[in-house]
Amino acid sequence: MSFLHMNYYERRAKGGYGLLIVENAYVKYPEGSNGTTQLRIDADNYIPRLYKLCETIHQYGTKIAIQLNHAGASAMESRIGIQPVSASATPNKAGGAIPRALTVEEIYSIADDHATAAKRAQTIGFDAIEIHAGHSYLISQFLSPLTFVFVITNSISFEK
């Protein structure tokens, strides 16, 4: 959360916005990132600056929400330093990198990362949380018939 981010959102709150939805913040490093300036909410050391943002926005009577996101196959290997992950080994965009299909355990882990980030956002003072499931990011990769290929394995428990 740079001072440029802070200034951007504060100017909108001053202008009378009733609700600001802060751009997507990733929940897992590094594979959840989609860019070099994307916000992070994957660790406690990001709490102070995000808290300051919420306090600043609230002083104008504006509510504030944050989007939680995992880039999945939209991540660029050149930026994150590892092969992107996804619902399958199918690129989510024409010409995109071939991602590695997540294991069942990794899927549960990413769900836990979202839950931890949501709790962090609540503690920070956000008024609402949006789970980002669009724009070809990880959750939408599980929702799309183009990128989701379900393979039944013995490790899947449907009771969970």
Side-chain angles (χ1 to χ4, degrees):
M1 175 60 59
S2 73
F3 290 111
L4 291 173
H5 284 113
M6 302 271 284
N7 184 49
Y8 175 85
Y9 290 113
E10 183 177 13
R11 288 175 54 202
R12 274 127 194 95
K14 278 182 183 178
Y17 281 50
L19 171 67
L20 291 172
I21 302 175
V22 176
E23 62 201 74
N24 68 86
Y26 60 89
V27 300
K28 188 172 190 77
Y29 179 81
E31 65 268 23
S33 173
N34 70 357
T36 57
T37 61
Q38 185 181 8
L39 300 180
R40 293 180 68 172
I41 194 165
D42 61 310
D44 288 347
N45 58 308
Y46 300 105
I47 291 174
R49 188 67 62 90
L50 292 169
Y51 177 83
K52 173 70 174 155
L53 173 67
C54 287
E55 289 295 300
T56 300
I57 299 309
H58 285 144
Q59 76 182 355
Y60 299 102
T62 301
K63 300 294 184 185
I64 186 167
I66 190 165
Q67 294 177 330
L68 303 183
N69 186 36
H70 188 296
S74 291
M76 294 176 58
E77 187 170 352
S78 62
R79 288 185 180 167
I80 65 172
I82 60 173
Q83 182 180 19
V85 297
S86 185
S88 69
T90 305
N92 69 329
K93 295 178 182 171
I98 296 175
R100 179 181 60 76
L102 289 162
T103 66
V104 172
E105 292 77 19
E106 288 173 318
I107 294 167
Y108 285 131
S109 176
I110 292 170
D112 289 342
D113 294 333
H114 277 81
T116 301
K119 182 63 177 170
R120 210 174 263 126
Q122 181 184 33
T123 300
I124 290 166
F126 283 97
D127 299 295
I129 298 161
E130 178 181 19
I131 305 297
H132 196 321
H135 309 304
S136 299
Y137 292 131
L138 184 61
I139 293 174
S140 68
Q141 291 161 23
F142 278 96
L143 299 173
S144 171
L146 301 175
T147 54
F148 181 53
V149 179
F150 186 71
V151 178
I152 297 176
T153 69
N154 291 333
S155 64
I156 296 176
S157 168
F158 288 100
E159 288 81 40
K160 289 184 181 182

